[in-house]
Amino acid sequence: MYKTQAEARAFFTEFLPLVAGTRDCDIVIAPPFTAIAASVEATKGSNVAIGGQNLYWQTQGAFTGEVSAGMLAEAGCRYVIVGHSERRQFFGDNDGVVAQKARAAVADGLIPIVCVGESLADREEGRTKEVLSQQFLGGPASLTPEEFSRILLAYEPVWAIGTGRTATPEIAAAAHGFLRRCVMDQYSAELAASVRILYGGSVKPDNIQGLMAQPELDGALVGGASLDAKSLAAIVNCR
């Protein structure tokens, strides 16, 4: 819940020139709903796509305060985040809700970025794989193979979000490898190889190179460091 429309425009005025030459990765910004239209307009003709931070799975109805996949697509979004840890923690998005939202996103042509991740208590109790398996099976694994081929996964260890604690590259790679095996077991080796799995958890310019050096990590889901144009550009342009 950051950035007004004016702040979003100012952000892109600074950010777009810094990444204009970047062609070897996909860049997606997910502003708050009120800044989506301004962001779409600001990024028109650029190499930056816009996504929503959340959606509801119904196409329309008496669901005050909610936004549908079709509404996001019409506004110019190409992506949407589903099941972010804050949605799970504060707004009750359980695995079943995540599954319905992911399916609705795909049905309306959006690319859902489906998040999974364990809490600090889960990790300390040695339940990381159990939690990831449960969230995967209860959420994105309910999609058909064709639907699943159109999503991205994001591993965001809750204990590393906004805490300054970042999973080491090795910890992140192990979790990504486990999720890839879950995909292989549920679907196929082909989907396991092709699915992109992002890492999210206190990603910053000073740790992105170590994280991206891991073959299992296909990208980053950036939180606080994305609020500053120069900081995010440094992450995007890390080599």
Side-chain angles (χ1 to χ4, degrees):
M1 198 171 69
Y2 290 97
K3 298 201 184 298
T4 63
Q5 294 181 58
E7 290 168 340
R9 292 189 189 99
F11 172 88
F12 286 114
T13 297
E14 183 178 7
F15 178 69
L16 291 179
L18 300 176
V19 299
T22 302
R23 292 290 181 268
D24 57 352
C25 67
D26 294 324
I27 308 170
V28 182
I29 304 288
F33 294 137
T34 55
I36 286 175
S39 299
V40 169
E41 180 64 27
T43 56
K44 188 174 298 182
S46 77
N47 57 336
V48 175
I50 300 301
Q53 296 183 4
N54 183 42
L55 79 162
Y56 193 59
W57 62 82
Q58 296 284 4
T59 56
Q60 63 180 10
F63 306 107
T64 302
E66 296 295 337
V67 175
S68 72
M71 292 173 180
L72 292 177
E74 183 194 35
C77 288
R78 290 175 51 201
Y79 294 79
V80 63
I81 301 171
V82 174
H84 190 281
S85 62
E86 291 159 9
R87 295 297 315 176
R88 293 176 184 266
Q89 179 179 357
F90 300 125
F91 303 103
D93 284 16
N94 58 31
D95 296 336
V97 167
V98 169
Q100 292 184 85
K101 289 184 175 183
R103 186 172 293 107
V106 169
D108 269 302
L110 295 175
I111 300 172
I113 302 169
V114 184
C115 302
V116 296
E118 80 281 15
S119 68
L120 178 60
D122 292 329
R123 172 157 286 276
E124 290 180 339
E125 293 170 6
R127 300 181 60 242
T128 294
K129 290 183 178 180
E130 178 185 342
V131 170
L132 292 181
S133 177
Q134 174 184 316
Q135 292 178 344
F136 175 77
L137 292 174
S142 66
L143 301 175
T144 67
E146 194 279 331
E147 289 171 334
F148 188 88
S149 71
R150 296 160 62 189
I151 80 168
L152 280 73
L153 289 178
Y155 169 61
E156 46 160 13
V158 180
W159 50 272
I161 298 173
T163 64
R165 298 178 59 179
T166 308
T168 66
E170 293 75 21
I171 288 175
H176 283 225
F178 176 75
L179 286 170
R180 212 172 290 280
R181 288 191 294 276
C182 289
V183 176
M184 183 169 61
D185 291 343
Q186 180 70 20
Y187 295 104
S188 66
E190 290 75 20
L191 275 180
S194 63
V195 64
R196 287 190 287 177
I197 307 177
L198 316 179
Y199 170 76
S202 294
V203 175
K204 299 183 288 291
D206 61 3
N207 63 29
I208 184 65
Q209 286 190 323
L211 290 166
M212 290 301 100
Q214 297 291 325
E216 283 289 354
L217 276 63
D218 301 313
L221 182 65
V222 186
S226 70
L227 299 177
D228 178 79
K230 291 180 180 176
S231 171
L232 183 58
I235 293 172
V236 170
N237 294 324
C238 79
R239 297 294 177 271

